[in-house]
Amino acid sequence: MEYSLPILPTISTTFIVLSAITVAIGWVQISKKKLEAHKKTMTLAAVFAVIFFIIYASRTVFIGNTAFGGPDDIKIYYTIFLIFHITLATVGAVLGIISLYTGYKNKLDKHRKLGPVTSVVWFFTGITGVAVYLLLYVFYHGGETTSVIKAILGT
C-alpha cells in the first residue's frame, strides 16, 4: 500500500520552518547592524508564521486534527510532547507579536531584551513542530482525523 504525505500539514509545517529560518537570518542581520534588512526579514518571518497559522486554524476548523497513530505505549510521551509544543507555540506567538510591536514602535530597549528570548522560543517551536509532524505523518501513519480535543487527549 502506498502512503503519501497529507498536503495541508506538509505545507503548514514548511511555513513554520521558513519562519524559523528567516528569524535566524534576521538575528544574523541585526548582529551585523543591518537594521533595515533585519526589519524586512523579521516581517517576512511573521508573514510565514501567519500563513502557517491560517492554514493550521482553517484545517482545524474545517477538517479537524489528526490523532497520534503510533504505538499505544508511547502515546503518553507524544501527548506530553505535543502539550509542550502547543505551549511553546502560544508563548512564541505572543512574544513574537510583542517583539514586532516594540521593534516597529522603536521601543528598542524592550525590543533588544525581548528579541533574543523570542527567537530562541521560536526556534524551539519550529523544531518541536517538525517533530510533531514527523511523528504524526512520517514515522507513524496518522490516526483518525477528529476534533482538537479528541486528537490531543485521545478520548
Side-chain angles (χ1 to χ4, degrees), residues 30-85:
I30 201 60
S31 73
K32 295 180 178 180
K33 309 281 190 235
K34 296 180 178 180
L35 300 177
E36 280 306 308
H38 170 76
K39 188 175 184 178
K40 289 176 184 174
T41 301
M42 294 312 234
T43 300
L44 182 60
V47 168
F48 286 149
V50 168
I51 292 170
F52 158 81
F53 184 74
I54 290 168
I55 294 169
Y56 177 80
S58 298
R59 182 175 178 271
T60 298
V61 168
F62 296 111
I63 299 170
N65 276 29
T66 303
F68 181 64
D72 285 341
D73 59 337
I74 65 169
K75 186 174 185 175
I76 185 66
Y77 303 108
Y78 169 79
T79 302
I80 292 167
F81 185 79
L82 179 62
I83 291 169
F84 174 72
H85 167 69

